[in-house]
Every structure is written in C-alpha cells, then in structure tokens.
Amino acid sequence: MRVSPETKVFPGSPQPAFIAWTKFDVHSYDSEVLHMSSHTGTHMDAPCHFAPGMQAINDISPSRLVSQAVLVRIPKKANQLIEEGDISEDIREGETVVFSTGWEKQYKSSHYMTRNPGLSGKAASYLVKKKVNAVAIDGPSIDVGFDEKFTAHNVLLPAGVPAVENLCNLDRIGRRRKKGNSEEGTRFTLIVAPLKLVGASGSPVRALALLF
C-alpha cells in the first residue's frame, strides 16, 4: 500500500506527514522527516504490540520474513467473521496464512477502517495450533471491525505469531489450482520487509509475493 499524507489510518492514529528537512538548492541534497504511526499502511504487528515483553519488530528473525505462504480466498462483507470452518485449505506448519477477503476493494469507502471482516477467536486459535509463521489479511486489522477487545490479536501475538495487515493486490495472485478432484490453496513465497525499529511494536512493510 502506498504511504502518503492521504493514506487511511486506524482511528486515532496520526496521518502520515513528510516534512522537508533539507532542500537540494540550499544543502545540495533532499531529505525528509517522517511522522506517522508504526502501524501505517501495509504493516507488520510484532508480538509486543499486544504482549508487552515479547518480541519487538527488530527481534523478529529474518528467517520469518521470507516464508512459504498459502492464499486463502474467503470473500467476506462488512463486519463478517472468518470462522475456523471457513478455512478449508491444508494449513502447514511454518507457513504464513494470507486471507483474501476482497475487503481491499472497499479502501475508498468511509467504513474501510471500521467495518472490516476479521478472524474469530476460534479461527485464530486454530492457526496457533497449526504453528503458522504469521497471519496476513487484506484489511486494516486481523480483528473484525466491531471487536473492541481485539480478540484475534490477543490470541495470535502472545503466541508469538506476527500479523501483517492492509495487504493489497491479492487479486494478482493466481487462482487455486486443481489437484485431482479437489482444489488446493495457491502457494507462493512471501517476503515481508519491515524496518529494523528497535523496541517498536510494528513497522510499515514492503510485502512481495514471488510466484514460481
């Protein structure tokens, strides 16, 4: 997701601001000061975001930032939960599970940040039991918009499972392939590159899907 002063942010968070610090015609180079939340745009939540004392974003091993991922397409509408029974794919240990709900198409709507679909507590617990690497979604939160208790966050992050939120362009990833008489989820290599912000609870990321 592009980050600019117009980027939508979680209610209560500051709008990104890029403040000119030097100018080429004065200092012979350009630079900016960035003012924004560490959870702006496409970003990763570190475990310490909801579990103080656990891993900060700089503590997450680089080996977890490049992972095998499975795309789970579960179309959902406003405030709909992703339940454990919705996850029909064979989730493998160590994979990153990427949920494509179609909510990214609502980005321009006024309720993008407040009525998004998200994981139920049971679905989050199921993923923890499967020992996944991380969980990602094409909406502003892994929690459904009305959930003020942040149920999924409070299941995944204390278990050491980072979350990646505000993914986009998931429709560019190939559809499911046939395997015999059944379908299997599209698998690919996912690269999630956060800044190494010491002690921070999250970071904007550049997320890339490598398809082979």
Side-chain angles (χ1 to χ4, degrees):
M1 184 178 289
R2 290 161 57 100
V3 177
S4 75
E6 289 75 42
T7 297
K8 293 194 178 210
V9 298
F10 196 78
S13 295
Q15 286 297 135
F18 303 162
I19 304 165
W21 188 249
T22 62
K23 293 184 177 181
F24 184 83
D25 57 354
V26 176
H27 305 94
S28 299
Y29 63 93
D30 282 328
S31 66
E32 302 80 32
V33 171
L34 310 182
H35 177 73
M36 60 184 178
S37 165
S38 56
H39 299 267
T40 297
T42 306
H43 66 275
M44 173 176 272
D45 292 349
C48 73
H49 186 35
F50 275 78
M54 291 196 66
Q55 288 180 316
I57 197 71
N58 62 292
D59 296 320
I60 296 176
S61 170
S63 65
R64 300 190 69 178
L65 304 178
V66 181
S67 65
Q68 182 78 1
V70 59
L71 182 66
V72 181
R73 295 188 190 276
I74 304 179
K76 292 290 181 179
K77 297 179 181 179
N79 286 327
Q80 283 191 321
L81 284 167
I82 298 170
E83 300 286 2
E84 178 181 347
D86 291 327
I87 307 172
S88 59
E89 280 76 5
D90 176 25
I91 305 300
R92 302 170 185 171
E93 182 177 338
E95 285 187 321
T96 295
V97 183
V98 179
F99 288 102
S100 175
T101 67
W103 193 249
E104 64 173 291
K105 296 177 183 177
Q106 300 295 321
Y107 181 76
K108 293 183 179 181
S109 72
S110 61
H111 58 265
Y112 172 78
M113 282 282 177
T114 56
R115 300 183 61 197
N116 57 285
L119 293 171
S120 71
K122 288 184 178 179
S125 295
Y126 169 74
L127 296 172
V128 169
K129 290 178 182 177
K130 298 294 286 187
K131 298 181 179 180
V132 299
N133 176 65
V135 177
I137 197 166
D138 61 344
S141 176
I142 54 173
D143 276 301
V144 71
F146 62 75
D147 187 356
E148 296 181 353
K149 294 182 179 180
F150 299 100
T151 303
H153 279 90
N154 279 301
V155 172
L156 293 169
L157 298 184
V161 180
V164 182
E165 299 165 327
N166 274 326
L167 285 176
C168 56
N169 299 318
L170 294 183
D171 57 347
R172 297 186 185 182
I173 298 176
R175 292 286 172 176
R176 295 173 180 171
R177 303 181 300 274
K178 288 288 186 179
K179 185 177 182 181
N181 294 323
S182 62
E183 292 182 334
E184 66 171 344
T186 300
R187 285 185 158 84
F188 57 96
T189 298
L190 177 66
I191 299 174
V192 178
L195 297 173
K196 203 168 186 179
L197 304 175
V198 177
S201 64
S203 170
V205 303
R206 192 71 180 264
L208 304 171
L210 303 182
L211 305 174
F212 299 99

